[in-house]
Amino acid sequence: MIFNNKKFEKGVSIIEIVIVTAIVGMISVLLVNLPASLRLIGQSSHESVANQIAVKKIEDLRSQGYDNLANGTSQISDTRLSQLPSQTSSIVIEDCPVSICTNSELIKKVTINITWKEDKGNKSTSINTLISKGGLQ
Amino acid sequence: MKNQSGQIVIILLLITLVALSVGLAITQRSLTNLKTSTQNEQSSRAFSAADAGIEKAIQQNSSIGVGVPFDVSSDSSVSVTKNDLPAANQALEYPPIGKETISQFWLENPDTLPSGPPPFPSASYIGNDTVDIYFGRSDIAPTSPESPAIEVNAIVLDTNTSTYSSTRTYIDSTSNASVAGRYPNNGFNAQASCIVFTVATSSSPASKFRCKYPLNITNGAPNLKAVMVRIRTLYTTLNHPIAVDPMPGKSLPLQASVFVSTGTSGQSQKKLQVFRLKYVVPNFFEFSIFSAGDINK
C-alpha cells in the first residue's frame, strides 16, 4: 500500500504578504501625497501670477515718474487679479524714510503687496523699490 | 497535485508601477513649479532692489552699499558703484546708438566754458581740436548694407567773435564699389579706414570698432576751439558702438557717469548698468537734406 503523505495546507505564504504590503504601502503614499502635490502646483501658479502683477505695477509707476506719484495707499487694478482666490492688493507710496534716504533725497518708496487665500492659509507677495526725481523711467 | 496558474500578482504589480510613475511625476512637477515660482519672486525682488539702488545712487551722485550692501527691505539689498568718465587720456565710449539716437561728446569742460554776453573772458581751453572717432560694429563688414555712415556735427567757439558755430561732416564706412550709392556717389566728405580697431575706452580695455576717422575740427586756426561733437549713424538699422579718442597727452573733460547696481534677494542677484551724461544739449535742427543735384532756392 502506498500512502500519499503530502498534506495541502491552506494559507498565505510570506512572499505574498510582503508583496501585498509593498503594494498597499506604495499606493497609500501616493494617495496621501497626490492631493498635496496638486495643491502645490496651483499655489505656485498663483505665486507666479501675483509676482507678474506686482512687477508690472512697479514698472508702470516708475514710468509715471516721481512728480506724478502721490503719497498714500491704493489698490491695484489688473484683470489677472481675478485668478487669485479672495485676493487683496495694495500700493503704498510714501516719502523715502530717513533710515534709507539719509540726505532727505527726493525719492519715493513704493511697496506693492498682494495677498490671496490658499487651502492652508493666506499667501502674499511683496516688492519694494525706490523711485527718484530725475531718475530711471 | 493540481497545477495552478494565474496572473493577478503581475497585473497588480503593473498597475502599481503605472500609478507610482504618474504620482511621482506629479510630485516632481509640483516641486519644480514651487522652486521656479520662488526663484521668480526672488529674482523680481532683486531686480527691484537693483532699480532702487540706481535711483538712490543717482540722487546722491555717489556709490552706495559698497562692501556692506544697503538694505532696501527686509529681504533685499543692493550695492551700487559709480565711476566718472572718462579717465585721463582715455577714449569715451557711448553705449551703442541706434538710428534715431545722437551721441554727444564734450571736448571742452562745460563747467568752465565762458558764459554771459560777449566779449567772453579768456578761458583755459583743453584744445581737443583734433580727435579720433571710432565707430561701427566690428562684425559688420563694409560690404554689408548695414555698414554705417556717420554725421559729425562739430560745435566750435570762435574766441575772436565770441560766437558758436556748427559744422557737419559726413563720413562713410564703405564705398560705392561695395554697396551701391555709397561714397563717393552720395557726396559724403570722406571714407573712414575700416580694418577693425581695438581701443582702450571708458567701457572696456579692448573695445572693438570697425572704423576709425581722424577728425581735424579747427584746422589749426588759433581762434577756434572745438567744444563738442554730436554724432549719429546713417544708413544702418542696427545699433553701433561709438567712441571719441583725444590726441596723446590730451584728455576729454569728465562728462558722464556709469552706475552699476547689484540687487540681491535670497539666492537671486540682478545687475543693472546706467550710463548718465552730465549735461545734454537739447536737439537743435538735427535734420539733414540730401540731394542728388544742387538745391536751388
Side-chain angles (χ1 to χ4, degrees), chain B residues 95-181:
Chain B
I97 58 170
K99 206 171 164 184
E100 302 300 325
T101 313
I102 295 174
S103 60
Q104 170 191 290
F105 300 86
W106 286 99
L107 304 179
E108 290 293 337
N109 188 346
D111 287 323
T112 57
L113 278 174
S115 61
F120 293 143
S122 64
S124 60
Y125 297 99
I126 302 173
N128 282 315
D129 303 319
T130 303
V131 291
D132 285 334
I133 300 176
Y134 293 92
F135 65 99
R137 274 170 54 172
S138 56
D139 60 325
I140 303 286
T143 49
S144 163
E146 290 291 344
S147 195
I150 53 171
E151 174 198 81
V152 182
N153 186 359
I155 316 297
V156 171
L157 169 64
D158 187 335
T159 54
N160 285 349
T161 59
S162 303
T163 53
Y164 289 94
S165 62
S166 157
T167 312
R168 292 178 201 236
T169 310
Y170 295 88
I171 309 298
D172 211 336
S173 60
T174 185
S175 68
N176 182 62
S178 301
V179 181

XYZ file of all heavy atoms in Angstrom, chain B residues 95-181:
650
model
N 27.251 104.136 -25.099
C 26.519 102.886 -25.335
C 26.079 102.816 -26.800
O 25.841 103.874 -27.403
C 25.304 102.991 -24.419
C 25.687 103.982 -23.391
C 26.636 104.938 -24.044
N 25.947 101.647 -27.391
C 25.633 101.544 -28.822
C 24.428 102.394 -29.203
O 23.405 102.386 -28.505
C 25.328 100.057 -29.013
C 26.134 99.397 -27.967
C 26.122 100.330 -26.792
N 24.565 103.177 -30.259
C 23.496 104.096 -30.640
C 22.754 103.552 -31.840
O 23.332 102.960 -32.743
C 24.020 105.517 -30.927
C 25.069 105.528 -32.043
C 24.550 106.149 -29.676
C 25.411 106.927 -32.507
N 21.447 103.768 -31.834
C 20.593 103.334 -32.934
C 20.361 104.478 -33.879
O 20.919 105.571 -33.758
N 19.443 104.218 -34.804
C 19.242 105.138 -35.912
C 18.801 106.518 -35.441
O 19.135 107.522 -36.018
C 18.175 104.534 -36.819
C 18.256 104.955 -38.251
C 17.275 104.110 -39.070
C 17.048 104.750 -40.412
N 16.052 104.056 -41.207
N 18.001 106.586 -34.408
C 17.415 107.874 -34.020
C 18.150 108.522 -32.849
O 17.668 109.498 -32.298
C 15.941 107.666 -33.634
C 15.092 107.049 -34.727
C 15.051 107.891 -35.981
O 15.063 109.140 -35.870
O 15.045 107.319 -37.088
N 19.286 107.985 -32.467
C 19.971 108.493 -31.284
C 21.166 109.324 -31.684
O 21.879 108.992 -32.622
C 20.465 107.330 -30.404
O 19.416 106.394 -30.255
C 20.908 107.820 -29.046
N 21.381 110.414 -30.954
C 22.557 111.243 -31.192
C 23.470 111.109 -29.989
O 23.046 111.309 -28.849
C 22.149 112.706 -31.396
C 21.319 112.821 -32.673
C 23.376 113.607 -31.469
C 20.728 114.170 -32.913
N 24.724 110.756 -30.241
C 25.691 110.673 -29.145
C 26.422 112.002 -29.054
O 26.723 112.629 -30.067
C 26.681 109.537 -29.406
O 27.377 109.762 -30.612
N 26.667 112.419 -27.849
C 27.239 113.744 -27.618
C 28.532 113.605 -26.838
O 28.575 112.901 -25.830
C 26.226 114.563 -26.811
C 26.762 115.870 -26.283
C 25.817 116.498 -25.284
O 24.746 116.968 -25.632
N 26.221 116.483 -24.028
N 29.575 114.246 -27.295
C 30.866 114.201 -26.616
C 31.347 115.638 -26.384
O 31.564 116.376 -27.351
C 31.904 113.460 -27.469
C 31.535 112.034 -27.777
C 30.731 111.723 -28.867
C 32.005 110.995 -26.990
C 30.389 110.415 -29.163
C 31.673 109.679 -27.281
C 30.867 109.390 -28.370
N 31.518 116.019 -25.126
C 32.087 117.325 -24.819
C 33.589 117.263 -25.064
O 34.263 116.337 -24.613
C 31.844 117.696 -23.357
C 30.443 118.102 -23.044
C 29.468 117.330 -22.493
C 29.864 119.407 -23.248
N 28.312 118.066 -22.340
C 28.526 119.334 -22.797
C 30.334 120.610 -23.764
C 27.662 120.421 -22.852
C 29.469 121.688 -23.822
C 28.150 121.593 -23.367
N 34.102 118.279 -25.742
C 35.550 118.358 -25.961
C 36.169 119.411 -25.060
O 37.382 119.415 -24.824
C 35.847 118.676 -27.437
C 35.233 117.687 -28.436
C 35.569 118.104 -29.859
C 35.721 116.274 -28.154
N 35.366 120.346 -24.607
C 35.776 121.313 -23.597
C 34.896 121.108 -22.363
O 33.777 120.601 -22.466
C 35.624 122.753 -24.104
C 36.604 123.164 -25.179
C 38.042 123.231 -24.674
O 38.250 123.397 -23.452
O 38.974 123.113 -25.500
N 35.388 121.516 -21.211
C 34.632 121.335 -19.973
C 33.456 122.309 -19.944
O 33.662 123.529 -19.937
C 35.554 121.580 -18.775
C 34.884 121.225 -17.463
O 33.669 121.037 -17.405
N 35.671 121.131 -16.407
N 32.209 121.799 -19.951
C 31.064 122.719 -19.965
C 31.004 123.614 -18.732
O 30.441 124.701 -18.785
C 29.847 121.786 -20.024
C 30.347 120.471 -19.550
C 31.789 120.400 -19.904
N 31.614 123.179 -17.618
C 31.571 123.989 -16.394
C 32.472 125.214 -16.487
O 32.285 126.179 -15.739
C 32.007 123.140 -15.178
C 30.948 122.135 -14.786
O 29.754 122.482 -14.888
O 31.294 121.006 -14.395
N 33.480 125.185 -17.382
C 34.412 126.318 -17.448
C 34.325 127.062 -18.770
O 35.153 127.918 -19.065
C 35.867 125.850 -17.233
O 36.168 124.843 -18.213
C 36.051 125.265 -15.845
N 33.332 126.739 -19.583
C 33.155 127.499 -20.817
C 32.740 128.924 -20.466
O 32.008 129.138 -19.493
C 32.066 126.865 -21.690
C 32.482 125.673 -22.555
C 31.273 125.071 -23.236
C 33.514 126.089 -23.592
N 33.180 129.863 -21.280
C 32.774 131.241 -20.995
C 31.261 131.385 -21.137
O 30.639 130.748 -21.964
C 33.518 132.055 -22.047
C 33.843 131.091 -23.124
C 34.005 129.773 -22.484
N 30.682 132.236 -20.332
C 29.237 132.423 -20.397
C 28.914 133.897 -20.244
O 29.788 134.715 -19.930
C 28.554 131.616 -19.290
O 29.013 132.068 -18.030
N 27.658 134.216 -20.446
C 27.253 135.616 -20.330
C 27.358 136.289 -21.673
O 27.651 135.659 -22.686
N 27.098 137.569 -21.715
C 27.155 138.264 -23.010
C 28.593 138.419 -23.471
O 29.509 138.506 -22.650
C 26.512 139.625 -22.702
C 26.722 139.831 -21.235
C 26.725 138.461 -20.616
N 28.830 138.421 -24.796
C 30.182 138.668 -25.302
C 30.625 140.098 -24.958
O 29.753 140.953 -24.742
C 30.066 138.494 -26.812
C 28.669 138.075 -27.101
C 27.879 138.183 -25.853
N 31.898 140.440 -24.922
C 33.012 139.535 -25.240
C 33.283 138.579 -24.075
O 33.176 138.959 -22.923
C 34.197 140.477 -25.454
C 33.856 141.692 -24.641
C 32.354 141.794 -24.622
N 33.585 137.330 -24.417
C 33.796 136.327 -23.379
C 35.149 136.543 -22.727
O 36.115 136.885 -23.393
C 33.756 134.919 -23.985
C 32.399 134.537 -24.493
C 32.279 133.782 -25.649
C 31.245 134.926 -23.836
C 31.022 133.418 -26.127
C 30.002 134.563 -24.320
C 29.891 133.806 -25.459
N 35.216 136.323 -21.409
C 36.526 136.395 -20.751
C 37.395 135.244 -21.249
O 36.890 134.237 -21.726
C 36.187 136.230 -19.258
C 34.853 135.584 -19.232
C 34.132 136.002 -20.471
N 38.674 135.428 -21.142
C 39.569 134.367 -21.635
C 39.416 133.151 -20.736
O 39.123 133.262 -19.548
C 41.009 134.849 -21.619
O 41.410 135.113 -20.297
N 39.577 132.019 -21.312
C 39.444 130.781 -20.540
C 40.585 129.863 -20.943
O 41.152 130.002 -22.009
C 38.115 130.119 -20.830
N 40.930 128.955 -20.062
C 41.949 127.972 -20.448
C 41.230 126.832 -21.154
O 40.287 126.258 -20.641
C 42.684 127.471 -19.205
O 41.767 126.859 -18.335
N 41.655 126.586 -22.360
C 40.992 125.561 -23.158
C 41.830 124.294 -23.182
O 43.054 124.349 -23.195
C 40.755 126.060 -24.588
C 39.817 127.250 -24.643
C 40.299 128.540 -24.751
C 38.434 127.065 -24.568
C 39.445 129.622 -24.785
C 37.572 128.140 -24.608
C 38.079 129.418 -24.711
O 37.226 130.484 -24.744
N 41.143 123.147 -23.191
C 41.850 121.871 -23.267
C 42.482 121.719 -24.646
O 43.587 121.235 -24.787
C 40.887 120.686 -23.028
C 40.200 120.824 -21.654
C 41.627 119.373 -23.119
C 39.124 119.791 -21.416
N 41.764 122.192 -25.663
C 42.308 122.148 -27.019
C 42.147 120.791 -27.694
O 43.048 120.306 -28.372
N 40.985 120.146 -27.517
C 40.725 118.889 -28.232
C 40.207 119.190 -29.633
O 39.084 118.850 -29.987
C 39.694 118.061 -27.452
C 40.309 117.349 -26.269
O 41.371 116.751 -26.372
N 39.638 117.404 -25.121
N 41.054 119.881 -30.427
C 40.577 120.322 -31.742
C 40.749 119.253 -32.802
O 40.216 119.373 -33.906
C 41.319 121.607 -32.143
C 41.134 122.704 -31.097
O 39.993 122.827 -30.601
O 42.112 123.396 -30.776
N 41.508 118.209 -32.499
C 41.634 117.041 -33.363
C 41.375 115.812 -32.521
O 41.981 115.643 -31.458
C 43.043 116.943 -33.976
O 43.303 118.139 -34.689
C 43.139 115.762 -34.918
N 40.430 114.971 -32.966
C 40.116 113.753 -32.213
C 39.979 112.586 -33.185
O 39.729 112.795 -34.378
C 38.794 113.901 -31.408
C 38.955 114.888 -30.266
C 37.636 114.287 -32.297
N 40.147 111.363 -32.669
C 39.883 110.161 -33.475
C 38.478 109.678 -33.141
O 38.110 109.534 -31.976
C 40.883 109.051 -33.129
C 42.247 109.314 -33.728
O 42.319 110.015 -34.768
O 43.241 108.832 -33.153
N 37.700 109.428 -34.177
C 36.348 108.890 -33.978
C 36.360 107.415 -34.377
O 36.770 107.066 -35.493
C 35.315 109.645 -34.826
C 35.306 111.127 -34.421
C 33.920 109.040 -34.644
C 34.398 111.980 -35.261
N 35.938 106.563 -33.466
C 35.814 105.126 -33.738
C 34.320 104.793 -33.799
O 33.532 105.216 -32.954
C 36.468 104.300 -32.633
C 37.968 104.442 -32.575
C 38.566 105.399 -31.760
C 38.791 103.626 -33.350
C 39.943 105.535 -31.710
C 40.172 103.755 -33.309
C 40.740 104.720 -32.485
O 42.107 104.858 -32.439
N 33.933 104.018 -34.819
C 32.515 103.692 -34.921
C 32.314 102.373 -35.663
O 33.194 101.901 -36.374
C 31.739 104.811 -35.631
C 32.102 105.023 -37.082
C 31.325 104.478 -38.099
C 33.197 105.791 -37.424
C 31.650 104.683 -39.437
C 33.528 106.003 -38.764
C 32.752 105.447 -39.771
N 31.140 101.805 -35.484
C 30.736 100.623 -36.250
C 31.037 99.316 -35.550
O 32.075 99.142 -34.917
N 30.089 98.397 -35.657
C 30.267 97.048 -35.106
C 31.346 96.331 -35.878
O 31.347 96.320 -37.106
C 28.951 96.263 -35.203
C 28.009 96.476 -34.046
C 26.650 95.876 -34.292
N 26.701 94.467 -34.663
C 25.612 93.715 -34.764
N 24.426 94.245 -34.500
N 25.700 92.452 -35.134
N 32.247 95.678 -35.159
C 33.373 95.025 -35.823
C 32.917 93.814 -36.633
O 33.627 93.381 -37.543
C 34.425 94.597 -34.795
O 33.836 93.775 -33.809
N 31.731 93.258 -36.327
C 31.278 92.067 -37.070
C 30.487 92.429 -38.324
O 30.051 91.547 -39.065
C 30.433 91.168 -36.144
C 29.198 91.875 -35.617
O 29.284 93.099 -35.376
O 28.157 91.230 -35.430
N 30.257 93.716 -38.560
C 29.541 94.122 -39.781
C 30.584 94.529 -40.812
O 31.318 95.502 -40.620
C 28.581 95.303 -39.518
C 27.592 94.938 -38.420
C 27.864 95.723 -40.785
C 26.513 93.975 -38.843
N 30.656 93.796 -41.918
C 31.678 94.074 -42.928
C 31.286 95.278 -43.765
O 30.102 95.579 -43.913
C 31.860 92.849 -43.826
N 32.269 95.966 -44.341
C 31.954 97.115 -45.193
C 31.141 96.737 -46.433
O 30.609 97.615 -47.108
C 33.333 97.656 -45.594
C 34.248 97.185 -44.523
C 33.714 95.856 -44.088
N 31.044 95.479 -46.751
C 30.231 95.079 -47.900
C 28.757 94.952 -47.544
O 27.915 94.731 -48.406
C 30.705 93.721 -48.451
O 30.816 92.822 -47.334
C 32.039 93.846 -49.143
N 28.437 95.089 -46.268
C 27.040 94.936 -45.842
C 26.304 96.256 -45.965
O 26.853 97.313 -45.650
C 27.006 94.448 -44.392
O 25.730 94.666 -43.834
N 25.042 96.229 -46.399
C 24.246 97.465 -46.433
C 24.066 98.074 -45.041
O 23.727 99.248 -44.909
C 22.884 97.007 -46.983
C 23.154 95.705 -47.632
C 24.310 95.083 -46.931
N 24.288 97.253 -43.975
C 24.161 97.764 -42.617
C 25.421 98.492 -42.161
O 25.488 99.000 -41.045
C 23.869 96.616 -41.638
C 22.491 96.013 -41.796
C 21.384 96.964 -41.359
O 21.688 97.957 -40.654
O 20.218 96.741 -41.731
N 26.437 98.508 -42.992
C 27.657 99.227 -42.633
C 27.316 100.702 -42.482
O 26.770 101.310 -43.405
C 28.699 99.015 -43.730
O 29.975 99.381 -43.286
N 27.608 101.311 -41.329
C 27.072 102.649 -41.074
C 27.911 103.759 -41.678
O 29.102 103.614 -41.916
C 27.128 102.752 -39.549
C 28.314 101.909 -39.178
C 28.373 100.802 -40.184
N 27.283 104.890 -41.919
C 27.989 106.151 -42.127
C 27.692 106.991 -40.896
O 26.764 106.684 -40.139
C 27.491 106.842 -43.391
N 28.490 108.028 -40.676
C 28.210 108.896 -39.533
C 28.139 110.357 -39.962
O 28.828 110.786 -40.887
C 29.261 108.762 -38.397
C 30.694 108.958 -38.930
C 29.125 107.442 -37.667
C 31.727 109.056 -37.835
N 27.258 111.070 -39.278
C 27.202 112.519 -39.425
C 27.825 113.098 -38.159
O 27.403 112.771 -37.050
C 25.754 112.992 -39.548
C 25.627 114.508 -39.567
C 24.209 114.973 -39.262
O 23.836 115.031 -38.070
O 23.475 115.264 -40.220
N 28.874 113.920 -38.333
C 29.543 114.517 -37.185
C 29.230 116.005 -37.189
O 29.605 116.727 -38.114
C 31.076 114.299 -37.262
C 31.743 114.887 -36.032
C 31.393 112.816 -37.392
N 28.545 116.427 -36.141
C 28.190 117.836 -36.008
C 29.139 118.446 -34.977
O 29.048 118.145 -33.791
C 26.725 117.952 -35.551
C 26.242 119.391 -35.519
O 27.000 120.319 -35.813
N 24.982 119.585 -35.159
N 30.097 119.245 -35.433
C 31.095 119.809 -34.525
C 30.691 121.232 -34.141
O 30.424 122.067 -35.017
C 32.468 119.809 -35.190
N 30.630 121.490 -32.846
C 30.304 122.834 -32.348
C 31.616 123.517 -31.995
O 32.421 122.976 -31.229
C 29.411 122.751 -31.085
C 28.299 121.719 -31.261
C 28.887 124.125 -30.710
C 27.327 122.032 -32.353
N 31.815 124.675 -32.550
C 33.094 125.367 -32.417
C 32.857 126.758 -31.843
O 31.906 127.447 -32.220
C 33.786 125.480 -33.804
C 35.001 126.381 -33.739
C 34.162 124.088 -34.297
N 33.760 127.188 -30.961
C 33.690 128.541 -30.388
C 34.764 129.398 -31.037
O 35.943 129.018 -31.055
C 33.899 128.482 -28.871
C 34.116 129.820 -28.143
C 32.879 130.703 -28.246
C 34.486 129.588 -26.680
N 34.342 130.517 -31.602
C 35.302 131.482 -32.160
C 35.605 132.501 -31.064
O 34.747 133.300 -30.695
C 34.690 132.161 -33.395
C 35.703 133.058 -34.116
O 36.669 133.527 -33.464
O 35.520 133.297 -35.314
N 36.833 132.464 -30.554
C 37.163 133.342 -29.430
C 37.331 134.800 -29.876
O 37.281 135.707 -29.046
C 38.452 132.872 -28.722
O 39.496 132.769 -29.707
C 38.242 131.534 -28.058
N 37.511 134.997 -31.175
C 37.619 136.388 -31.662
C 36.268 137.076 -31.644
O 36.152 138.239 -31.276
C 38.184 136.407 -33.091
C 39.668 136.126 -33.112
O 40.335 136.118 -32.070
N 40.199 135.872 -34.294
N 35.264 136.363 -32.101
C 33.933 136.973 -32.219
C 32.994 136.542 -31.102
O 31.867 137.018 -31.013
C 33.285 136.591 -33.561
O 33.198 135.156 -33.606
C 34.134 137.081 -34.723
N 33.467 135.603 -30.257
C 32.646 135.091 -29.147
C 31.343 134.483 -29.652
O 30.280 134.668 -29.061
C 32.338 136.203 -28.130
O 33.532 136.762 -27.642
N 31.434 133.782 -30.749
C 30.230 133.120 -31.275
C 30.492 131.631 -31.453
O 31.632 131.199 -31.627
C 29.822 133.709 -32.642
O 30.965 133.653 -33.509
C 29.339 135.132 -32.515
N 29.404 130.899 -31.410
C 29.481 129.455 -31.655
C 29.013 129.163 -33.074
O 28.119 129.845 -33.585
C 28.593 128.683 -30.667
C 29.116 128.683 -29.245
C 28.676 129.628 -28.323
C 30.038 127.731 -28.834
C 29.160 129.628 -27.024
C 30.521 127.721 -27.533
C 30.075 128.677 -26.627
O 30.556 128.672 -25.337
N 29.609 128.170 -33.690
C 29.126 127.739 -34.996
C 29.100 126.226 -35.050
O 29.699 125.542 -34.209
C 30.029 128.291 -36.116
O 31.334 127.781 -35.957
N 28.365 125.715 -36.047
C 28.172 124.273 -36.155
C 28.576 123.829 -37.557
O 28.149 124.435 -38.546
C 26.696 123.966 -35.885
O 26.326 122.745 -36.445
N 29.402 122.813 -37.668
C 29.848 122.302 -38.969
C 29.567 120.817 -39.028
O 29.899 120.090 -38.087
C 31.364 122.513 -39.142
O 31.705 123.832 -38.789
C 31.789 122.220 -40.573
N 28.983 120.381 -40.130
C 28.688 118.953 -40.262
C 29.627 118.297 -41.259
O 29.900 118.835 -42.331
C 27.242 118.755 -40.700
C 26.294 119.163 -39.600
C 24.857 119.039 -40.012
N 24.067 119.897 -39.143
C 23.052 119.480 -38.410
N 22.675 118.218 -38.455
N 22.385 120.320 -37.642
N 30.092 117.124 -40.885
C 30.966 116.322 -41.747
C 30.349 114.943 -41.859
O 29.885 114.387 -40.863
C 32.377 116.203 -41.126
O 32.840 117.495 -40.767
C 33.343 115.559 -42.105
N 30.347 114.413 -43.089
C 29.722 113.100 -43.318
C 30.807 112.104 -43.715
O 31.514 112.305 -44.694
C 28.645 113.207 -44.409
C 27.504 114.091 -43.974
C 27.530 115.467 -44.190
C 26.407 113.546 -43.305
C 26.503 116.281 -43.748
C 25.365 114.357 -42.874
C 25.424 115.717 -43.090
O 24.402 116.518 -42.654
N 30.929 111.059 -42.903
C 31.972 110.062 -43.127
C 31.309 108.718 -43.412
O 30.448 108.277 -42.644
C 32.876 109.927 -41.872
C 33.370 111.299 -41.406
C 34.034 108.969 -42.133
C 34.226 112.026 -42.409
N 31.714 108.074 -44.476
C 31.135 106.773 -44.808
C 32.108 105.661 -44.445
O 33.324 105.884 -44.318
C 30.792 106.708 -46.302
C 29.593 105.805 -46.584
O 29.315 104.906 -45.752
O 28.932 105.990 -47.618
N 31.564 104.453 -44.258
C 32.421 103.312 -43.921
C 32.662 102.425 -45.132
O 33.514 101.543 -45.097
C 31.762 102.478 -42.817
O 30.503 102.010 -43.271
N 31.905 102.675 -46.195
C 32.025 101.786 -47.333
C 31.900 102.589 -48.619
O 31.452 103.741 -48.615
C 30.953 100.684 -47.265
O 31.171 99.753 -48.327
C 29.553 101.263 -47.419
N 32.317 101.978 -49.713
C 32.337 102.710 -50.971
C 31.237 102.216 -51.898
O 30.618 101.178 -51.667
C 33.698 102.526 -51.655
O 33.818 101.177 -52.069
N 31.060 102.950 -52.969
C 30.061 102.592 -53.973
C 30.379 101.237 -54.604
O 29.483 100.522 -55.051
C 30.031 103.689 -55.038
C 28.981 103.419 -56.077
O 27.793 103.367 -55.773
N 29.382 103.211 -57.323
N 31.642 100.884 -54.626
C 32.047 99.601 -55.223
C 31.515 98.427 -54.396
O 31.249 97.346 -54.928
C 33.560 99.531 -55.318
N 31.346 98.630 -53.101
C 30.873 97.555 -52.221
C 29.370 97.605 -52.020
O 28.700 96.570 -52.001
C 31.565 97.645 -50.860
O 32.954 97.545 -50.991
N 28.852 98.794 -51.818
C 27.409 98.961 -51.611
C 26.966 100.121 -52.491
O 27.448 101.246 -52.344
C 27.055 99.272 -50.134
C 25.538 99.407 -49.965
C 27.591 98.189 -49.207
N 26.066 99.849 -53.408
C 25.672 100.864 -54.393
C 25.139 102.111 -53.697
O 24.375 102.030 -52.729
C 24.604 100.275 -55.316
N 25.559 103.242 -54.233
C 25.055 104.516 -53.734
C 25.875 105.116 -52.619
O 25.577 106.219 -52.162
